[in-house]
Amino acid sequence: MSFLTVLLGFLGFGIGIPLGIFLGFFTFVFFEPPDVKDPIIRNLRDADTNYVLDVLPDVPAWMKHPDFDRIDWLNKFVSDMWPYLNKAICNIIRQSTMSIVSDYIGKFTIKSVEFKNLTLGTLPPIINGVKVHENYENGLLFEPAVRWAGNPDISLVLTLLWLPITVQLVDVQIFAAPRIILRPLLPTFPCFGSIVMSLLEKPHVDFGLKLMGMDIMAIPGLYQYIQRATKRPVGILYVKIVRALKLLKMDLLGTSDPYVKLSLSGDGLPAKRTSIKMKNLNPEWNEEFKLTVKDPESQVLQLHVYDWEKVGIHDKLGMQVVPLRLLTPHETKEFTLNLVKNTNPNDPHNKKWRGQLVVKLTFNPFKDNGEYGAEPNGVEDLSCRGFGLLMVTIQSAEDVEGKHHTNPFALITYRGEKKKTKMIMKTRNPSWNEEFQFLLEEAPVKDKIHIEVMSKRRGFSLRPQESLGYVDIDLVDVVHNGHINERYDLIKSREGVIHVDIRWNVI
């Protein structure tokens, strides 16, 4: 009887939980709340100041800025060419994508991957104005304001064993402000030597994603998670842990051995920690830390104070959080925080005295790339740029091959610091898309960064590791333009190429 009870319990749990999630998802997606109302539409002349400020980002750039030119003729040209551009771009997407996923067919139970539909839709991108810098030395510099609210239909069918899974990308919105530089100008066609492109500000990207016909972006929390994951750093938070006062006595002799762990919510990075102050209830640290900030409006600084133990789990003395929205950019603010057990305001344990923690915080946002980009006359003192963040994204490599094994990973060496990507087994075309950050006190105008693709064999081997090629990249162009996205031929590689994205953000 007991066996039958356990069996029925497992069956009820295995069927009831998926059925409940399935019904709850459909209820959330397909049943409209009764309090949803149609938006209010009114004339702009009847609107107040707050309403005008809300709609101002949607106004074309040529209406807001006198130095932007209206180019309806170019939009008409793109509109007429869009059916042909659509097919050409889709062919490039299909070829590049299938060449990458072909290495994974037959692995990880993947039987096949193919496009069911691939079209960018009928709505072309629109250029809401362009700004051309005159007298740019030996080159042409212009800044278009691009918007694309498209209706693409990109459906990918992934077959795992016998089960086909359809993933569909729809309703893509991209708002971007690129800076394009053609230089140097030459007397032979196409009359310029290279194209340098960077972004003046963080682009707005939004999209819908369907799995097996269901809108998975409607799942609570998933949309916010994806938006956070795709955000890039916007500034640096300077944290100074000053001191703690009247901490709890956790040791038998009436003392504690405190230290502080600090981190930012939503960044997924390991927490940083101070030194340990032995046998001290009023420790002073005066230790400084730097944290990269992605969203100062929603992120909070998390501070946890622990009592160090030589053996066993470290006891928690207390914690506190500081929302970054309380900070004014470039202004140092001191906080004296009352430590609590947790962030639940209704927990009676938080009424107990746990001591205080004194910290000083300063948030320095990055300067807009447009503020430190190349001047129209081309004259600029690069060495005057100060503290900033160098972000290196290793995207992929192509046609890399070792003599004894090909399990590639990328190794980055910069100013004596080494960082590496994950290793991908048995492929000549690895895709990493991993970002690495370096905090610098001065612009890397005279620096080079060394990136080497390596291969490593797992287990015992007489040749456990070998180089598949390397490249040394001058960072002066990154500082000058704020951003480069290039493909580099690997040195000491027959046909190897690596795709790297590097950004420099100044504080």
Side-chain angles (χ1 to χ4, degrees):
M1 187 66 180
S2 60
F3 173 77
L4 182 60
T5 302
V6 173
L7 179 61
L8 292 176
F10 273 108
L11 289 176
F13 181 82
I15 297 175
I17 293 296
L19 182 61
I21 295 176
F22 183 77
L23 293 177
F25 175 79
F26 270 86
T27 301
F28 180 83
V29 173
F30 294 105
F31 285 85
E32 184 175 329
D35 57 346
V36 174
K37 299 180 180 179
D38 293 332
I40 300 176
I41 301 176
R42 51 184 172 176
N43 293 327
L44 190 61
R45 63 175 179 269
D46 300 330
D48 55 13
T49 304
N50 293 330
Y51 180 80
V52 173
L53 291 176
D54 291 336
V55 301
L56 192 59
D58 297 325
V59 176
W62 60 269
M63 295 181 63
K64 296 183 293 184
H65 305 290
D67 52 353
F68 273 78
D69 297 323
R70 183 176 180 178
I71 47 174
D72 291 341
W73 63 270
L74 183 57
N75 288 321
K76 173 63 175 172
F77 173 79
V78 174
S79 178
D80 293 341
M81 288 290 295
W82 184 244
Y84 307 96
L85 292 172
N86 180 14
K87 293 180 180 179
I89 295 173
C90 288
N91 287 335
I92 295 175
I93 294 175
R94 188 187 300 273
Q95 294 172 5
S96 59
T97 302
M98 298 312 296
S99 64
I100 295 175
V101 301
S102 61
D103 294 332
Y104 297 94
I105 295 178
K107 304 177 182 177
F108 312 110
T109 69
I110 299 176
K111 188 175 181 180
S112 66
V113 179
E114 58 184 11
F115 283 102
K116 181 179 179 182
N117 298 313
L118 179 56
T119 174
L120 299 181
T122 59
L123 301 177
I126 296 176
I127 303 176
N128 284 338
V130 61
K131 176 181 178 181
V132 179
H133 291 264
E134 299 180 358
N135 301 323
Y136 187 73
E137 183 177 356
N138 196 26
L140 176 65
L141 188 154
F142 58 97
E143 300 168 357
V146 181
R147 291 197 169 205
W148 183 43
N151 56 345
D153 183 8
I154 304 175
S155 300
L156 190 69
V157 180
L158 175 68
T159 304
L160 299 177
L161 294 178
W162 52 269
L163 178 63
I165 299 176
T166 303
V167 180
Q168 185 180 15
L169 181 68
V170 296
D171 299 333
V172 176
Q173 294 185 9
I174 300 176
F175 304 156
R179 164 176 285 180
I180 302 173
I181 302 176
L182 308 179
R183 66 176 184 189
L185 299 181
L186 303 173
T188 57
F189 190 81
C191 301
F192 56 88
S194 64
I195 301 177
V196 180
M197 181 178 295
S198 60
L199 293 175
L200 296 176
E201 59 187 20
K202 182 177 65 177
H204 169 80
V205 180
D206 200 358
F207 56 88
L209 196 62
K210 293 185 178 182
L211 181 65
M212 306 293 288
M214 296 182 294
D215 187 4
I216 64 174
M217 301 299 286
I219 298 177
L222 180 60
Y223 177 80
Q224 291 79 5
Y225 173 79
I226 293 178
Q227 290 294 321
R228 287 196 301 267
T230 56
K231 286 185 176 179
R232 291 187 174 272
V234 297
I236 301 293
L237 177 67
Y238 295 84
V239 182
K240 183 175 183 179
I241 307 296
V242 182
R243 67 178 70 88
L245 304 171
K246 300 179 181 180
L247 297 177
L248 294 179
K249 303 175 182 179
M250 304 300 293
D251 298 339
L252 295 177
L253 300 179
T255 61
S256 292
D257 307 321
Y259 68 91
V260 182
K261 295 181 68 174
L262 60 153
S263 62
L264 283 176
S265 62
D267 63 359
L269 299 176
K272 299 186 178 183
R273 54 179 283 177
T274 66
S275 59
I276 302 169
K277 299 297 182 181
M278 305 298 292
K279 299 180 180 180
N280 197 333
L281 299 180
N282 298 282
E284 290 195 13
W285 287 283
N286 290 313
E287 298 181 15
E288 298 181 353
F289 302 89
K290 303 181 185 74
L291 305 174
T292 56
V293 179
K294 292 184 177 180
D295 189 354
E297 292 298 321
S298 63
Q299 284 187 291
V300 298
L301 174 65
Q302 301 169 336
L303 300 159
H304 296 265
V305 184
Y306 290 91
D307 173 42
W308 179 82
E309 297 291 343
K310 189 173 184 180
V311 179
I313 300 176
H314 298 183
D315 297 322
K316 186 175 180 180
L317 297 176
M319 60 88 61
Q320 193 53 269
V321 297
V322 181
L324 300 191
R325 64 176 180 270
L326 301 179
L327 303 177
T328 302
H330 306 293
E331 292 185 9
T332 301
K333 190 172 184 179
E334 182 174 308
F335 294 86
T336 301
L337 308 170
N338 292 325
L339 298 177
V340 296
K341 183 179 181 181
N342 52 56
T343 56
N344 183 6
N346 299 322
D347 191 342
H349 293 92
N350 288 333
K351 297 181 180 179
K352 178 182 177 182
W353 175 264
R354 296 177 176 272
Q356 293 179 321
L357 181 66
V358 181
V359 297
K360 292 183 178 180
L361 307 179
T362 307
F363 172 58
N364 287 346
F366 294 137
K367 293 180 181 178
D368 185 3
N369 287 352
E371 295 181 22
Y372 63 86
E375 295 298 326
N377 58 8
V379 178
E380 187 179 29
D381 184 9
L382 298 177
S383 62
C384 66
R385 297 175 180 174
F387 188 89
L389 180 68
L390 182 69
M391 295 179 289
V392 182
T393 301
I394 307 297
Q395 296 186 342
S396 61
E398 298 176 7
D399 298 325
V400 293
E401 186 173 8
K403 295 181 179 179
H404 304 90
H405 44 78
T406 307
N407 305 316
F409 66 93
L411 178 65
I412 305 171
T413 305
Y414 180 62
R415 292 189 177 182
E417 186 176 359
K418 294 185 177 183
K419 299 183 179 183
K420 64 180 181 179
T421 66
K422 62 180 179 292
M423 181 173 64
I424 301 180
M425 302 294 293
K426 299 180 180 179
T427 178
R428 299 176 64 247
N429 302 295
S431 179
W432 296 288
N433 288 316
E434 296 187 35
E435 181 181 284
F436 304 92
Q437 300 176 358
F438 301 88
L439 287 171
L440 307 179
E441 296 183 356
E442 58 182 8
V445 179
K446 301 180 180 180
D447 292 353
K448 290 185 178 182
I449 188 168
H450 180 82
I451 303 175
E452 186 170 10
V453 180
M454 307 287 293
S455 177
K456 184 177 181 181
R457 173 174 288 174
R458 291 182 176 177
F460 175 77
S461 174
L462 296 176
R463 299 178 182 272
Q465 190 166 289
E466 61 178 293
S467 175
L468 307 183
Y470 70 91
V471 63
D472 292 316
I473 302 175
D474 287 314
L475 297 179
V476 61
D477 286 338
V478 183
V479 177
H480 186 78
N481 299 298
H483 172 221
I484 62 170
N485 189 314
E486 298 285 350
R487 298 159 62 91
Y488 297 92
D489 294 326
L490 293 172
I491 301 174
K492 294 187 177 180
S493 174
R494 182 178 300 177
E495 298 178 348
V497 177
I498 189 168
H499 190 186
V500 183
D501 182 286
I502 306 179
R503 296 172 181 269
W504 168 247
N505 285 325
V506 179
I507 296 179

